[in-house]
Amino acid sequence: MFFGISHPIKLNSLLYAKIYIVKPVQGIISIMNKDVIDDLQNDWSIQRPDLNSEPMGVILRIQALAKIFGEQTASRLQDFDLQWWQYDVLSTLRRQGKPFIMAATELAGSNMLSSGAMTNRIDRLEEDGLVRRIKDKNDGRRVLVQMTNSGLKLIEKATEARFETATNALDNLDASERSSLSSLLRLVLNNQNV
């Protein structure tokens, strides 16, 4: 007789799955926590058994999540008429605390941009009334960028939405699991030659 009983179990600190016991007399179990990447890995294991598909599965899941999370965030930022690059510059200024000001060169470095690219972004944000340029009183060659009150109001609301989106994306993980995942991803990130 075939029947199944669903049991949620914790496989490790990061992964939950439901175990369906089929034919309990014979003790056959199968894990039903699969995704399309599992199928891809299986295909490669059959076609190229000489290659280890496990690391590729991890990388593909990270890439898929980056795309999904990026799209979710971009959608939320559109609610505030913001694009990613605008959010990045404004949030960098916001993180500095009052008076929300940075040298243009430091702002470029913080956003991993050339000075020319940052100049273009500052121009556009200034046109929108979100930032203003100020001459450095101590060094006339240095340009400072300060967020305006309009920029501050906008980034406060957008940041709340950004944090809410991140929280919702991980709401199926408890605090311990989020911490473990963060530690593992940090380990991988720190191992890269970037």
Side-chain angles (χ1 to χ4, degrees):
M1 179 172 194
F2 291 85
F3 63 95
I5 304 169
S6 171
H7 296 283
I9 63 161
K10 191 171 186 177
L11 298 177
N12 62 39
S13 64
L14 296 177
L15 179 64
Y16 281 89
K18 285 188 177 176
I19 297 289
Y20 288 88
I21 300 174
V22 181
K23 296 188 197 176
V25 175
Q26 295 178 2
I28 298 172
I29 61 172
S30 72
I31 298 175
M32 304 305 286
N33 184 23
K34 292 193 172 232
D35 60 26
V36 68
I37 295 170
D38 289 311
D39 295 336
L40 185 144
Q41 283 179 268
N42 186 54
D43 291 345
W44 278 117
S45 294
I46 294 167
Q47 297 302 317
R48 289 290 307 269
D50 57 311
L51 298 176
N52 180 2
S53 66
E54 184 183 28
M56 184 60 79
V58 173
I59 298 303
L60 290 174
R61 284 184 180 90
I62 291 171
Q63 290 173 330
L65 287 169
K67 183 178 188 298
I68 291 166
F69 294 158
E71 289 170 356
Q72 289 172 350
T73 301
S75 176
R76 284 306 303 271
L77 291 178
Q78 285 178 354
D79 294 342
F80 303 95
D81 221 11
L82 282 175
Q83 296 177 30
W84 264 109
W85 68 267
Q86 294 167 307
Y87 180 84
D88 284 344
V89 174
L90 293 174
S91 68
T92 300
L93 289 168
R94 175 61 184 93
R95 289 193 320 268
Q96 304 312 302
K98 290 183 180 180
F100 313 115
I101 193 167
M102 284 181 82
T105 53
E106 293 169 4
L107 194 55
S110 180
N111 282 266
M112 297 182 282
L113 294 170
S114 69
S115 60
M118 181 52 70
T119 297
N120 180 277
R121 290 179 181 199
I122 293 168
D123 288 344
R124 292 171 66 187
L125 289 168
E126 195 170 34
E127 287 171 14
D128 292 338
L130 302 174
V131 301
R132 68 175 144 258
R133 285 184 172 91
I134 301 171
K135 288 282 185 185
D136 189 331
K137 294 175 186 172
N138 300 321
D139 183 351
R141 299 168 296 167
R142 200 166 111 131
V143 176
L144 302 174
V145 180
Q146 184 176 35
M147 187 162 37
T148 64
N149 287 337
S150 296
L152 179 60
K153 287 177 187 173
L154 181 62
I155 200 63
E156 292 290 68
K157 292 176 186 172
T159 297
E160 288 171 12
R162 175 102 166 81
F163 273 68
E164 181 184 309
T165 301
T167 299
N168 291 342
L170 299 177
D171 68 355
N172 63 327
L173 301 177
D174 65 31
S176 173
E177 291 167 328
R178 287 191 305 269
S179 178
S180 295
L181 179 59
S182 187
S183 293
L184 290 170
L185 291 172
R186 184 181 303 109
L187 183 64
V188 173
L189 185 60
N190 287 338
N191 245 353
Q192 305 311 302
N193 298 324
V194 181

Short mmCIF file of all heavy atoms in Angstrom, two decimals, residues 2 8 12 17-18 24 26 36 40 50 56 61 63 68 96 151 159 187 194:
data_model
loop_
_atom_site.label_atom_id
_atom_site.label_comp_id
_atom_site.label_asym_id
_atom_site.label_seq_id
_atom_site.Cartn_x
_atom_site.Cartn_y
_atom_site.Cartn_z
N PHE A 2 0.56 2.20 -0.88
CA PHE A 2 1.32 3.44 -0.97
C PHE A 2 0.58 4.54 -0.21
O PHE A 2 -0.60 4.75 -0.42
CB PHE A 2 1.47 3.87 -2.43
CG PHE A 2 2.35 2.98 -3.22
CD1 PHE A 2 1.87 1.83 -3.80
CD2 PHE A 2 3.68 3.29 -3.38
CE1 PHE A 2 2.69 1.01 -4.53
CE2 PHE A 2 4.51 2.49 -4.11
CZ PHE A 2 4.02 1.33 -4.70
N PRO A 8 7.77 17.96 8.70
CA PRO A 8 8.82 18.97 8.54
C PRO A 8 10.00 18.60 9.42
O PRO A 8 9.83 18.21 10.57
CB PRO A 8 8.16 20.26 9.02
CG PRO A 8 6.98 19.84 9.82
CD PRO A 8 6.63 18.44 9.42
N ASN A 12 19.65 21.09 8.61
CA ASN A 12 20.78 21.74 9.27
C ASN A 12 20.31 23.13 9.65
O ASN A 12 19.14 23.43 9.55
CB ASN A 12 22.04 21.75 8.37
CG ASN A 12 21.82 22.54 7.09
OD1 ASN A 12 21.17 23.59 7.10
ND2 ASN A 12 22.36 22.05 6.01
N ALA A 17 13.15 21.07 5.26
CA ALA A 17 12.50 20.34 4.18
C ALA A 17 11.37 19.53 4.78
O ALA A 17 11.31 19.30 5.97
CB ALA A 17 13.49 19.41 3.49
N LYS A 18 10.48 19.10 3.91
CA LYS A 18 9.45 18.17 4.33
C LYS A 18 9.86 16.80 3.84
O LYS A 18 10.22 16.63 2.70
CB LYS A 18 8.10 18.56 3.75
CG LYS A 18 7.48 19.74 4.43
CD LYS A 18 6.08 19.95 3.94
CE LYS A 18 5.45 21.09 4.70
NZ LYS A 18 4.13 21.39 4.20
N PRO A 24 6.44 3.14 4.21
CA PRO A 24 7.21 3.12 5.44
C PRO A 24 7.78 1.76 5.80
O PRO A 24 8.80 1.66 6.45
CB PRO A 24 6.23 3.59 6.51
CG PRO A 24 4.97 3.93 5.83
CD PRO A 24 5.09 3.57 4.39
N GLN A 26 9.28 -0.26 3.84
CA GLN A 26 10.59 -0.40 3.21
C GLN A 26 11.53 0.74 3.60
O GLN A 26 12.70 0.70 3.27
CB GLN A 26 10.44 -0.45 1.68
CG GLN A 26 9.68 -1.67 1.21
CD GLN A 26 9.49 -1.66 -0.28
OE1 GLN A 26 9.95 -0.77 -0.98
NE2 GLN A 26 8.81 -2.67 -0.78
N VAL A 36 14.61 24.25 -9.62
CA VAL A 36 15.06 24.01 -10.99
C VAL A 36 16.58 23.80 -11.05
O VAL A 36 17.08 23.09 -11.92
CB VAL A 36 14.60 25.16 -11.91
CG1 VAL A 36 15.31 26.47 -11.57
CG2 VAL A 36 14.79 24.80 -13.36
N LEU A 40 19.05 21.02 -12.95
CA LEU A 40 20.22 21.38 -13.75
C LEU A 40 21.45 20.61 -13.27
O LEU A 40 22.21 20.06 -14.08
CB LEU A 40 20.45 22.89 -13.64
CG LEU A 40 21.56 23.48 -14.49
CD1 LEU A 40 21.12 24.85 -14.97
CD2 LEU A 40 22.84 23.59 -13.70
N ASP A 50 32.24 13.69 -14.53
CA ASP A 50 33.59 14.06 -14.10
C ASP A 50 33.63 15.44 -13.42
O ASP A 50 34.62 15.80 -12.79
CB ASP A 50 34.55 14.05 -15.30
CG ASP A 50 34.09 14.99 -16.40
OD1 ASP A 50 32.91 14.91 -16.78
OD2 ASP A 50 34.92 15.79 -16.88
N MET A 56 28.48 24.65 -8.41
CA MET A 56 27.69 25.37 -9.41
C MET A 56 26.28 25.61 -8.89
O MET A 56 25.70 26.68 -9.13
CB MET A 56 27.66 24.61 -10.73
CG MET A 56 26.95 25.34 -11.83
SD MET A 56 27.67 26.94 -12.23
CE MET A 56 29.04 26.43 -13.21
N ARG A 61 22.29 29.54 -7.38
CA ARG A 61 21.27 30.00 -6.45
C ARG A 61 21.56 31.43 -5.99
O ARG A 61 20.66 32.25 -5.87
CB ARG A 61 21.15 29.05 -5.26
CG ARG A 61 20.42 27.78 -5.61
CD ARG A 61 20.21 26.86 -4.42
NE ARG A 61 19.51 25.67 -4.86
CZ ARG A 61 20.12 24.56 -5.29
NH1 ARG A 61 21.44 24.48 -5.31
NH2 ARG A 61 19.40 23.53 -5.69
N GLN A 63 23.21 33.67 -7.73
CA GLN A 63 22.91 34.53 -8.88
C GLN A 63 21.41 34.73 -9.06
O GLN A 63 20.95 35.84 -9.35
CB GLN A 63 23.53 33.94 -10.15
CG GLN A 63 25.04 34.03 -10.18
CD GLN A 63 25.65 33.30 -11.37
OE1 GLN A 63 25.10 32.32 -11.86
NE2 GLN A 63 26.79 33.79 -11.83
N ILE A 68 16.53 38.17 -8.35
CA ILE A 68 15.20 38.31 -7.75
C ILE A 68 15.17 39.47 -6.76
O ILE A 68 14.28 40.33 -6.80
CB ILE A 68 14.77 36.99 -7.07
CG1 ILE A 68 14.52 35.91 -8.12
CG2 ILE A 68 13.55 37.20 -6.19
CD1 ILE A 68 14.43 34.50 -7.55
N GLN A 96 26.13 58.91 6.48
CA GLN A 96 27.16 59.73 7.11
C GLN A 96 26.62 60.46 8.34
O GLN A 96 27.39 60.92 9.17
CB GLN A 96 27.72 60.77 6.12
CG GLN A 96 28.26 60.20 4.83
CD GLN A 96 29.20 59.02 5.06
OE1 GLN A 96 30.21 59.16 5.76
NE2 GLN A 96 28.87 57.87 4.49
N GLY A 151 15.96 65.65 -0.48
CA GLY A 151 16.67 64.38 -0.62
C GLY A 151 16.56 63.53 0.63
O GLY A 151 16.36 62.31 0.56
N THR A 159 14.43 54.19 2.18
CA THR A 159 15.23 53.27 3.00
C THR A 159 14.34 52.37 3.84
O THR A 159 14.61 51.16 3.97
CB THR A 159 16.22 54.05 3.88
OG1 THR A 159 17.13 54.75 3.02
CG2 THR A 159 17.01 53.14 4.79
N LEU A 187 31.96 34.75 4.39
CA LEU A 187 33.15 33.91 4.20
C LEU A 187 33.46 33.74 2.73
O LEU A 187 34.62 33.88 2.29
CB LEU A 187 32.91 32.55 4.87
CG LEU A 187 34.05 31.54 4.86
CD1 LEU A 187 35.24 32.08 5.64
CD2 LEU A 187 33.59 30.23 5.44
N VAL A 194 38.47 40.40 -5.13
CA VAL A 194 37.84 41.58 -5.71
C VAL A 194 38.43 42.83 -5.08
O VAL A 194 38.72 42.91 -3.94
CB VAL A 194 36.31 41.54 -5.46
CG1 VAL A 194 35.63 42.76 -6.06
CG2 VAL A 194 35.71 40.28 -6.03
#
